[in-house]
Coordinates of all heavy atoms in Angstrom, one line a residue:
M1 N 0.8 -1.2 0.1 CA 0.0 0.1 0.0 C 0.9 1.3 0.0 O 1.8 1.2 0.8 CB -0.8 0.0 1.2 CG -1.8 1.1 1.4 SD -2.9 1.0 2.7 CE -2.8 -0.7 3.3
L2 N 0.6 2.2 -0.9 CA 1.4 3.3 -0.9 C 0.8 4.5 0.0 O -0.4 4.6 0.0 CB 1.4 3.8 -2.3 CG 2.0 3.1 -3.3 CD1 1.9 3.7 -4.8 CD2 3.4 2.7 -3.1
D3 N 1.7 5.2 0.6 CA 1.4 6.3 1.5 C 1.1 7.5 0.6 O 2.0 8.1 -0.1 CB 2.4 6.7 2.5 CG 1.9 7.9 3.4 OD1 1.2 8.6 3.1 OD2 2.6 7.8 4.5
M4 N -0.2 8.0 0.3 CA -0.4 9.0 -0.6 C -0.4 10.4 0.0 O -0.9 11.3 -0.7 CB -1.7 8.6 -1.3 CG -1.9 7.4 -1.9 SD -0.5 7.1 -3.3 CE -1.3 8.1 -4.5
G5 N -0.2 10.5 1.2 CA -0.2 11.9 1.8 C -1.5 12.2 2.6 O -2.3 11.2 2.8
E6 N -1.8 13.4 2.7 CA -3.0 13.8 3.4 C -4.1 13.6 2.4 O -4.0 13.8 1.3 CB -2.9 15.2 3.8 CG -1.9 15.5 4.8 CD -2.1 14.8 6.1 OE1 -3.4 14.9 6.6 OE2 -1.2 14.3 6.7
P7 N -5.3 13.2 3.0 CA -6.5 13.0 2.3 C -7.1 14.4 1.6 O -6.7 15.5 2.3 CB -7.6 12.5 3.2 CG -6.8 12.1 4.4 CD -5.6 12.8 4.4
I8 N -7.7 14.2 0.5 CA -8.3 15.5 -0.1 C -9.7 15.3 -0.2 O -10.1 14.1 -0.6 CB -7.8 15.6 -1.6 CG1 -6.1 15.8 -1.4 CG2 -8.4 16.8 -2.3 CD1 -5.5 15.8 -2.9
R9 N -10.5 16.3 0.1 CA -11.9 16.1 0.1 C -12.4 16.2 -1.3 O -12.0 17.0 -2.2 CB -12.6 17.3 0.9 CG -12.3 17.2 2.3 CD -12.8 18.4 3.1 NE -13.4 19.4 2.4 CZ -14.7 20.0 2.8 NH1 -15.1 19.7 4.1 NH2 -15.2 20.9 2.1
I10 N -13.3 15.3 -1.6 CA -13.9 15.3 -3.0 C -14.5 16.6 -3.3 O -14.4 17.0 -4.5 CB -14.9 14.0 -3.2 CG1 -14.3 12.8 -3.2 CG2 -15.9 14.2 -4.3 CD1 -13.4 12.4 -4.4
L11 N -15.2 17.2 -2.3 CA -15.7 18.5 -2.7 C -14.7 19.5 -3.1 O -15.0 20.3 -4.1 CB -16.4 19.0 -1.4 CG -17.3 20.3 -1.5 CD1 -18.4 20.2 -2.8 CD2 -18.0 20.7 -0.2
D12 N -13.5 19.6 -2.5 CA -12.5 20.5 -3.1 C -12.1 20.2 -4.4 O -11.8 21.0 -5.2 CB -11.3 20.4 -2.1 CG -11.7 20.8 -0.6 OD1 -12.7 21.6 -0.5 OD2 -10.9 20.5 0.3
V13 N -12.0 18.9 -4.8 CA -11.5 18.5 -6.1 C -12.6 19.0 -7.1 O -12.4 19.6 -8.1 CB -11.4 17.0 -6.3 CG1 -11.1 16.5 -7.6 CG2 -10.3 16.4 -5.4
V14 N -13.9 18.8 -6.8 CA -15.0 19.2 -7.7 C -15.0 20.6 -7.9 O -15.1 21.2 -9.0 CB -16.3 18.7 -7.1 CG1 -17.5 19.2 -7.9 CG2 -16.4 17.1 -7.2
R15 N -14.9 21.4 -6.9 CA -14.9 22.8 -6.9 C -13.7 23.4 -7.7 O -14.0 24.3 -8.5 CB -14.9 23.5 -5.6 CG -16.3 23.4 -4.8 CD -16.1 24.0 -3.5 NE -17.3 23.9 -2.8 CZ -17.6 24.0 -1.5 NH1 -16.6 24.0 -0.6 NH2 -18.9 24.0 -1.0
T16 N -12.6 22.8 -7.6 CA -11.4 23.1 -8.5 C -11.7 22.9 -10.0 O -11.4 23.7 -10.9 CB -10.1 22.3 -8.1 OG1 -9.8 22.6 -6.7 CG2 -8.9 22.7 -8.9
I17 N -12.2 21.6 -10.3 CA -12.5 21.4 -11.6 C -13.6 22.3 -12.2 O -13.4 22.9 -13.3 CB -13.0 19.9 -11.8 CG1 -11.9 19.0 -11.5 CG2 -13.6 19.6 -13.2 CD1 -12.3 17.5 -11.4
I18 N -14.6 22.7 -11.5 CA -15.7 23.6 -11.9 C -15.0 25.0 -12.2 O -15.4 25.6 -13.1 CB -16.8 23.5 -10.9 CG1 -17.6 22.3 -11.0 CG2 -17.8 24.8 -11.1 CD1 -18.6 22.1 -9.9
S19 N -14.1 25.4 -11.2 CA -13.6 26.7 -11.4 C -12.8 26.8 -12.7 O -12.7 28.0 -13.2 CB -12.8 27.1 -10.2 OG -11.6 26.3 -10.2
R20 N -12.2 25.7 -13.2 CA -11.4 25.8 -14.3 C -12.3 25.9 -15.6 O -11.8 26.4 -16.6 CB -10.6 24.6 -14.5 CG -9.3 24.6 -13.4 CD -8.5 23.4 -13.5 NE -7.4 23.5 -12.4 CZ -6.5 22.7 -12.2 NH1 -6.5 21.6 -13.0 NH2 -5.7 22.8 -11.3
Y21 N -13.5 25.5 -15.5 CA -14.4 25.6 -16.7 C -15.1 26.9 -16.7 O -15.7 27.3 -17.7 CB -15.5 24.4 -16.6 CG -14.9 23.2 -17.2 CD1 -14.5 22.1 -16.3 CD2 -14.8 23.0 -18.6 CE1 -14.0 21.0 -16.7 CE2 -14.3 21.7 -19.1 CZ -13.9 20.8 -18.3 OH -13.4 19.5 -18.6
R22 N -15.1 27.7 -15.6 CA -15.7 29.1 -15.5 C -17.2 29.0 -15.8 O -17.6 29.9 -16.6 CB -14.9 30.0 -16.3 CG -13.5 30.3 -15.9 CD -12.8 31.4 -16.5 NE -11.5 31.6 -16.1 CZ -10.4 31.3 -16.7 NH1 -10.3 30.8 -17.9 NH2 -9.2 31.5 -16.1
K23 N -17.8 28.1 -15.4 CA -19.2 27.8 -15.6 C -20.0 27.7 -14.3 O -19.3 27.1 -13.4 CB -19.6 26.7 -16.6 CG -19.1 26.9 -18.0 CD -19.5 25.7 -18.9 CE -19.0 25.9 -20.2 NZ -19.4 24.8 -21.1
D24 N -21.2 28.0 -14.3 CA -21.9 27.7 -13.1 C -22.6 26.4 -13.1 O -23.6 26.1 -13.7 CB -23.0 28.8 -13.0 CG -23.8 28.6 -11.7 OD1 -23.3 28.1 -10.7 OD2 -25.0 29.1 -11.6
I25 N -21.9 25.3 -12.6 CA -22.3 23.9 -12.4 C -22.8 23.6 -11.1 O -21.9 23.7 -10.2 CB -21.1 23.0 -12.9 CG1 -20.7 23.4 -14.3 CG2 -21.5 21.7 -12.9 CD1 -19.5 22.6 -14.8
P26 N -24.1 23.3 -11.0 CA -24.5 23.0 -9.6 C -23.9 21.6 -9.0 O -23.7 20.7 -9.8 CB -26.1 22.8 -9.8 CG -26.2 22.4 -11.2 CD -25.1 23.0 -11.9
I27 N -23.7 21.7 -7.7 CA -23.1 20.4 -7.0 C -24.4 19.9 -6.3 O -25.0 20.7 -5.5 CB -21.9 20.8 -6.1 CG1 -20.9 21.3 -6.9 CG2 -21.7 19.5 -5.2 CD1 -19.6 21.8 -5.9
V28 N -24.7 18.7 -6.4 CA -25.9 18.1 -5.9 C -25.4 17.0 -4.8 O -24.6 16.0 -5.3 CB -26.8 17.4 -6.9 CG1 -28.0 16.7 -6.1 CG2 -27.2 18.4 -7.9
F29 N -25.8 17.1 -3.6 CA -25.4 16.1 -2.5 C -26.5 15.1 -2.5 O -27.8 15.6 -2.2 CB -25.2 16.8 -1.2 CG -24.0 17.8 -1.2 CD1 -24.2 19.1 -1.6 CD2 -22.8 17.4 -0.9 CE1 -23.1 20.0 -1.5 CE2 -21.7 18.2 -0.8 CZ -21.9 19.5 -1.2
T30 N -26.2 13.8 -2.7 CA -27.2 12.8 -2.6 C -27.3 12.0 -1.4 O -28.1 11.2 -1.3 CB -27.0 12.0 -4.0 OG1 -25.8 11.3 -3.9 CG2 -27.2 12.7 -5.2
G31 N -26.3 12.1 -0.7 CA -26.2 11.3 0.6 C -25.5 9.9 0.3 O -25.2 9.6 -0.9
L32 N -25.3 9.2 1.4 CA -24.6 7.9 1.1 C -25.5 7.0 0.6 O -26.7 6.9 1.0 CB -24.0 7.4 2.4 CG -22.8 8.1 3.0 CD1 -22.5 7.6 4.3 CD2 -21.8 8.0 2.1
R33 N -25.1 6.0 -0.2 CA -26.0 4.9 -0.7 C -25.7 3.6 0.2 O -24.7 3.8 1.0 CB -25.5 4.4 -2.1 CG -25.9 5.5 -3.2 CD -25.4 5.0 -4.5 NE -25.4 6.2 -5.4 CZ -24.8 6.2 -6.6 NH1 -24.2 5.1 -7.0 NH2 -24.9 7.2 -7.3
E34 N -26.5 2.6 0.2 CA -26.3 1.5 1.1 C -24.9 0.9 0.8 O -24.5 0.7 -0.4 CB -27.4 0.4 0.8 CG -27.4 -0.7 1.7 CD -28.5 -1.7 1.4 OE1 -29.5 -1.4 0.8 OE2 -28.3 -2.9 1.8
G35 N -24.2 0.6 1.8 CA -22.8 0.1 1.7 C -21.7 1.1 1.5 O -20.5 0.7 1.7
E36 N -21.9 2.3 1.3 CA -21.0 3.3 1.1 C -20.5 3.8 2.4 O -21.2 3.8 3.4 CB -21.4 4.5 0.3 CG -21.5 4.2 -1.2 CD -21.9 5.5 -2.0 OE1 -22.9 6.2 -1.6 OE2 -21.4 5.7 -3.0
K37 N -19.1 4.2 2.5 CA -18.5 4.7 3.6 C -18.0 6.1 3.5 O -17.7 6.4 2.3 CB -17.5 3.8 4.1 CG -18.0 2.4 4.5 CD -16.8 1.4 5.0 CE -16.0 1.0 3.8 NZ -15.0 0.0 4.3
L38 N -17.8 6.7 4.6 CA -17.2 8.1 4.4 C -15.6 8.0 4.6 O -14.9 8.9 4.1 CB -17.6 9.0 5.6 CG -19.0 9.5 5.5 CD1 -19.5 10.2 6.8 CD2 -19.4 10.3 4.3
H39 N -15.1 6.9 5.0 CA -13.6 6.7 4.9 C -13.3 5.1 4.9 O -14.3 4.5 5.2 CB -13.1 7.2 6.3 CG -13.4 6.5 7.6 ND1 -14.6 6.8 8.2 CD2 -12.8 5.6 8.2 CE1 -14.6 5.9 9.2 NE2 -13.6 5.3 9.4
E40 N -12.2 4.8 4.6 CA -11.8 3.4 4.5 C -10.8 3.0 5.8 O -10.0 3.8 6.1 CB -10.9 3.2 3.3 CG -11.8 3.4 2.0 CD -12.9 2.3 1.8 OE1 -12.5 1.1 2.3 OE2 -14.0 2.5 1.3
D41 N -11.0 2.0 6.3 CA -10.2 1.3 7.2 C -9.1 0.4 6.5 O -9.6 -0.5 5.8 CB -10.9 0.4 8.2 CG -12.0 1.3 9.1 OD1 -11.5 2.3 9.4 OD2 -13.1 0.8 9.3
L42 N -7.9 0.8 6.4 CA -6.9 0.2 5.6 C -6.4 -1.0 6.4 O -5.9 -1.9 5.6 CB -5.8 1.2 5.4 CG -6.2 2.4 4.6 CD1 -5.1 3.3 4.5 CD2 -6.8 2.1 3.3
F43 N -6.4 -1.0 7.7 CA -5.8 -2.3 8.4 C -6.9 -2.7 9.4 O -7.6 -1.9 10.0 CB -4.6 -1.9 9.2 CG -3.5 -1.2 8.3 CD1 -3.1 0.1 8.3 CD2 -2.8 -2.0 7.4 CE1 -2.2 0.7 7.5 CE2 -1.9 -1.6 6.6 CZ -1.5 -0.1 6.7
G44 N -6.9 -4.0 9.6 CA -7.7 -4.7 10.6 C -7.1 -4.3 12.1 O -6.0 -4.0 12.1
V45 N -8.0 -4.5 13.1 CA -7.6 -4.3 14.4 C -6.3 -5.1 14.8 O -5.4 -4.7 15.4 CB -8.7 -4.7 15.4 CG1 -8.2 -4.6 16.9 CG2 -9.9 -3.8 15.1
A46 N -6.2 -6.4 14.3 CA -5.1 -7.2 14.6 C -3.9 -7.1 13.7 O -2.9 -7.9 13.8 CB -5.6 -8.7 14.6
E47 N -4.1 -6.3 12.6 CA -3.0 -6.2 11.6 C -2.0 -5.1 11.9 O -2.5 -4.1 12.5 CB -3.6 -6.1 10.2 CG -4.5 -7.2 9.8 CD -5.3 -6.8 8.6 OE1 -5.5 -5.6 8.1 OE2 -5.6 -7.7 7.9
H48 N -0.8 -5.3 11.6 CA 0.3 -4.3 12.0 C 1.0 -3.9 10.7 O 1.3 -4.7 9.9 CB 1.2 -4.9 13.0 CG 0.6 -5.4 14.1 ND1 0.3 -4.4 15.2 CD2 0.3 -6.5 14.7 CE1 -0.4 -5.2 16.2 NE2 -0.3 -6.4 15.9
D49 N 1.0 -2.5 10.5 CA 1.6 -1.9 9.5 C 3.2 -2.0 9.4 O 3.8 -1.6 10.5 CB 1.3 -0.4 9.4 CG 1.9 0.6 8.4 OD1 2.5 -0.1 7.4 OD2 1.8 1.8 8.5
E50 N 3.8 -2.6 8.4 CA 5.2 -2.8 8.3 C 5.7 -2.0 7.2 O 5.1 -2.0 6.1 CB 5.5 -4.2 8.1 CG 5.1 -5.2 9.3 CD 5.5 -6.6 9.1 OE1 6.0 -6.9 8.0 OE2 4.9 -7.4 9.8
R51 N 7.0 -1.4 7.3 CA 7.5 -0.7 6.2 C 9.0 -1.0 6.2 O 9.9 -0.1 6.3 CB 7.3 1.0 6.5 CG 5.8 1.3 6.5 CD 5.7 2.7 6.9 NE 4.3 3.0 7.0 CZ 3.6 3.9 6.4 NH1 4.3 4.8 5.6 NH2 2.3 4.2 6.6
P52 N 9.3 -2.2 5.8 CA 10.6 -2.6 5.8 C 11.5 -2.2 4.6 O 12.7 -2.1 4.7 CB 10.5 -4.2 5.8 CG 9.3 -4.4 5.0 CD 8.4 -3.3 5.4
L53 N 10.8 -1.9 3.5 CA 11.6 -1.4 2.2 C 11.6 0.0 2.0 O 12.6 0.5 1.5 CB 10.9 -2.1 1.0 CG 10.7 -3.7 1.1 CD1 9.9 -4.3 -0.1 CD2 12.1 -4.3 1.2
H54 N 10.6 0.7 2.4 CA 10.6 2.1 2.2 C 9.5 2.8 3.1 O 8.6 2.2 3.3 CB 10.2 2.5 0.7 CG 10.4 3.9 0.3 ND1 9.5 4.9 0.6 CD2 11.5 4.5 -0.3 CE1 9.9 6.0 0.2 NE2 11.1 5.8 -0.4
P55 N 9.8 4.0 3.7 CA 8.9 4.6 4.6 C 7.6 4.9 4.0 O 6.7 5.1 4.9 CB 9.6 5.8 5.2 CG 10.7 6.2 4.2 CD 11.1 4.8 3.5
L56 N 7.3 5.0 2.8 CA 6.1 5.4 2.3 C 5.4 4.1 1.6 O 4.3 4.3 1.0 CB 6.3 6.4 1.2 CG 6.8 7.8 1.7 CD1 7.0 8.8 0.6 CD2 6.0 8.4 2.7
I57 N 6.0 3.0 1.8 CA 5.3 1.8 1.3 C 5.0 0.8 2.5 O 5.9 0.4 3.2 CB 6.2 1.0 0.3 CG1 6.5 2.0 -1.0 CG2 5.5 -0.3 -0.3 CD1 7.5 1.4 -1.8
S58 N 3.7 0.5 2.7 CA 3.2 -0.3 3.8 C 3.0 -1.7 3.3 O 2.5 -1.9 2.1 CB 2.0 0.2 4.5 OG 2.4 1.6 5.0
R59 N 3.1 -2.7 4.1 CA 2.6 -4.0 3.8 C 2.2 -4.6 5.1 O 2.5 -4.2 6.3 CB 3.6 -4.9 3.2 CG 4.8 -5.2 4.0 CD 5.7 -6.1 3.2 NE 6.9 -6.6 4.0 CZ 7.8 -7.3 3.5 NH1 7.8 -7.6 2.3 NH2 8.7 -7.7 4.3
V60 N 1.2 -5.5 5.0 CA 0.6 -6.2 6.2 C 0.6 -7.7 5.9 O 0.0 -8.1 4.8 CB -0.8 -5.7 6.5 CG1 -1.5 -6.4 7.6 CG2 -0.8 -4.1 6.8
A61 N 1.0 -8.4 6.7 CA 1.0 -9.9 6.7 C -0.5 -10.3 7.1 O -1.0 -9.9 8.2 CB 2.0 -10.6 7.6
V62 N -1.1 -11.1 6.3 CA -2.5 -11.6 6.6 C -2.5 -13.1 6.3 O -1.8 -13.6 5.5 CB -3.6 -10.9 5.8 CG1 -3.8 -9.4 6.2 CG2 -3.4 -11.0 4.4
E63 N -3.4 -13.8 7.0 CA -3.5 -15.1 6.9 C -4.2 -15.4 5.5 O -5.2 -14.6 5.1 CB -4.4 -15.8 7.9 CG -3.6 -15.8 9.3 CD -2.4 -16.6 9.2 OE1 -2.5 -17.9 8.8 OE2 -1.4 -16.3 9.9
P64 N -3.9 -16.5 4.8 CA -4.6 -16.7 3.5 C -6.0 -17.1 3.8 O -6.3 -17.6 4.8 CB -3.8 -17.9 3.0 CG -2.5 -18.1 3.7 CD -2.8 -17.3 5.0
L65 N -6.9 -16.7 2.9 CA -8.3 -17.0 3.0 C -8.7 -18.0 2.0 O -8.5 -17.8 0.8 CB -9.2 -15.8 2.7 CG -10.6 -15.7 2.9 CD1 -11.0 -16.1 4.3 CD2 -11.3 -14.5 2.5
A66 N -9.3 -19.1 2.5 CA -9.7 -20.1 1.5 C -10.8 -19.7 0.7 O -11.8 -19.0 1.1 CB -10.2 -21.4 2.3
P67 N -10.8 -20.0 -0.6 CA -12.0 -19.6 -1.6 C -13.3 -20.0 -1.0 O -14.2 -19.2 -1.3 CB -11.5 -20.2 -2.9 CG -10.1 -20.5 -2.8 CD -9.8 -20.6 -1.2
D68 N -13.4 -21.1 -0.5 CA -14.9 -21.5 0.0 C -15.3 -20.7 1.1 O -16.5 -20.7 1.5 CB -14.8 -23.0 0.3 CG -13.8 -23.4 1.4 OD1 -12.9 -22.7 1.7 OD2 -14.0 -24.5 1.9
A69 N -14.4 -20.0 1.8 CA -14.8 -19.1 3.0 C -15.2 -17.7 2.6 O -15.8 -16.9 3.3 CB -13.7 -18.9 3.9
L70 N -15.3 -17.5 1.2 CA -15.7 -16.2 0.7 C -17.3 -15.9 0.7 O -17.7 -14.8 0.6 CB -15.1 -15.9 -0.7 CG -13.6 -15.9 -0.8 CD1 -13.1 -15.7 -2.1 CD2 -13.0 -14.6 0.0
G71 N -18.0 -16.9 0.7 CA -19.5 -16.7 0.8 C -20.1 -17.1 -0.6 O -19.5 -17.2 -1.5
A72 N -21.4 -17.1 -0.5 CA -22.2 -17.5 -1.5 C -22.1 -16.5 -2.7 O -22.3 -16.8 -3.9 CB -23.7 -17.7 -1.2
E73 N -22.0 -15.2 -2.4 CA -21.9 -14.3 -3.5 C -20.7 -14.4 -4.4 O -20.8 -13.9 -5.7 CB -21.9 -12.9 -2.9 CG -20.7 -12.4 -2.0 CD -20.9 -12.8 -0.6 OE1 -21.8 -13.4 -0.3 OE2 -19.9 -12.4 0.1
L74 N -19.8 -15.1 -4.1 CA -18.6 -15.3 -4.9 C -18.5 -16.9 -5.4 O -17.6 -17.1 -6.0 CB -17.3 -14.9 -4.2 CG -17.2 -13.3 -3.8 CD1 -15.9 -13.1 -3.2 CD2 -17.4 -12.7 -5.1
A75 N -19.5 -17.7 -5.0 CA -19.4 -19.0 -5.4 C -19.4 -19.2 -6.8 O -20.2 -18.6 -7.5 CB -20.5 -19.7 -4.7
G76 N -18.5 -20.1 -7.3 CA -18.5 -20.3 -8.7 C -17.6 -19.3 -9.4 O -17.3 -19.7 -10.6
W77 N -16.9 -18.4 -8.9 CA -16.1 -17.6 -9.7 C -14.7 -18.4 -9.8 O -14.3 -19.2 -8.8 CB -15.7 -16.3 -8.7 CG -16.6 -15.2 -8.9 CD1 -18.0 -15.3 -9.1 CD2 -16.4 -13.8 -8.7 NE1 -18.6 -14.1 -9.2 CE2 -17.6 -13.2 -8.8 CE3 -15.3 -13.2 -8.5 CZ2 -17.8 -11.7 -8.7 CZ3 -15.3 -11.7 -8.3 CH2 -16.6 -11.1 -8.5
P78 N -14.2 -18.4 -10.9 CA -12.9 -19.2 -11.1 C -11.7 -18.5 -10.4 O -11.6 -17.4 -10.2 CB -12.7 -19.0 -12.7 CG -13.3 -17.7 -13.0 CD -14.6 -17.6 -12.1
V79 N -10.9 -19.4 -9.8 CA -9.7 -19.0 -9.2 C -8.6 -19.1 -10.1 O -8.2 -20.1 -10.6 CB -9.4 -19.9 -7.9 CG1 -8.1 -19.5 -7.2 CG2 -10.6 -19.8 -7.0
T80 N -8.1 -18.0 -10.5 CA -7.1 -17.9 -11.6 C -5.7 -17.6 -11.0 O -4.7 -17.9 -11.7 CB -7.3 -16.7 -12.6 OG1 -7.4 -15.5 -11.8 CG2 -8.6 -16.9 -13.3
D81 N -5.6 -17.2 -9.8 CA -4.2 -16.9 -9.1 C -4.1 -17.6 -7.9 O -4.9 -17.4 -6.9 CB -4.1 -15.5 -8.9 CG -2.7 -15.0 -8.3 OD1 -1.8 -16.0 -8.2 OD2 -2.5 -14.0 -7.8
R82 N -3.3 -18.6 -7.8 CA -3.2 -19.5 -6.6 C -1.9 -19.1 -5.8 O -1.4 -20.0 -5.1 CB -3.3 -20.9 -6.8 CG -4.7 -21.3 -7.4 CD -4.9 -22.9 -7.4 NE -6.1 -23.2 -7.9 CZ -7.2 -23.4 -7.3 NH1 -7.2 -23.3 -5.9 NH2 -8.3 -23.8 -7.8
S83 N -1.3 -17.9 -6.1 CA -0.1 -17.5 -5.5 C -0.3 -17.3 -3.9 O 0.8 -17.2 -3.2 CB 0.4 -16.3 -6.1 OG -0.5 -15.2 -6.0
Y84 N -1.5 -17.3 -3.4 CA -1.7 -17.2 -2.0 C -1.4 -18.4 -1.2 O -1.3 -18.4 0.0 CB -3.1 -16.6 -1.6 CG -4.2 -17.5 -2.2 CD1 -4.7 -18.4 -1.3 CD2 -4.7 -17.4 -3.4 CE1 -5.7 -19.4 -1.7 CE2 -5.8 -18.3 -3.8 CZ -6.1 -19.1 -2.9 OH -7.3 -20.1 -3.3
T85 N -1.4 -19.7 -1.8 CA -1.2 -20.9 -1.2 C 0.2 -21.2 -1.1 O 1.2 -20.7 -1.6 CB -1.9 -22.0 -1.9 OG1 -1.4 -22.1 -3.1 CG2 -3.4 -21.8 -2.0

């Protein structure tokens, strides 16, 4: 995972883009949809951030997850990469 610096608000990005077009473009706030989040959790509670190669590149050791443990929504998907085993 790469350290990308400080987060940037989407609203600030949108306002910058609109200002470059010099047009009056309305911004409509629709709210969160089901399943959407305001922020991402990059590491689990039991996971530890390691940066052995470079201070801006993180990696986390995690236990392999068996394909049959992924749930019914992914059942039947072909497994093309078995490098996790």
Side-chain angles (χ1 to χ4, degrees):
M1 184 176 343
L2 300 177
D3 184 335
M4 303 300 286
E6 292 299 314
I8 299 173
R9 295 175 2 142
I10 285 290
L11 184 58
D12 295 339
V13 173
V14 170
R15 287 181 174 153
T16 299
I17 292 170
I18 290 173
S19 70
R20 290 183 181 175
Y21 280 100
R22 296 188 177 108
K23 293 184 180 180
D24 187 21
I25 301 172
I27 299 173
V28 178
F29 295 90
T30 60
L32 291 177
R33 296 179 192 164
E34 185 178 341
E36 287 185 312
K37 300 184 279 184
L38 292 175
H39 70 279
E40 293 293 327
D41 296 319
L42 301 178
F43 304 109
V45 175
E47 297 173 337
H48 301 285
D49 177 9
E50 298 175 8
R51 299 175 185 231
L53 304 175
H54 191 279
L56 297 178
I57 301 175
S58 300
R59 68 180 186 183
V60 175
V62 295
E63 293 293 320
L65 182 62
D68 59 344
L70 295 176
E73 64 274 4
L74 298 179
W77 280 30
V79 176
T80 58
D81 179 11
R82 295 191 180 271
S83 63
Y84 61 87
T85 58

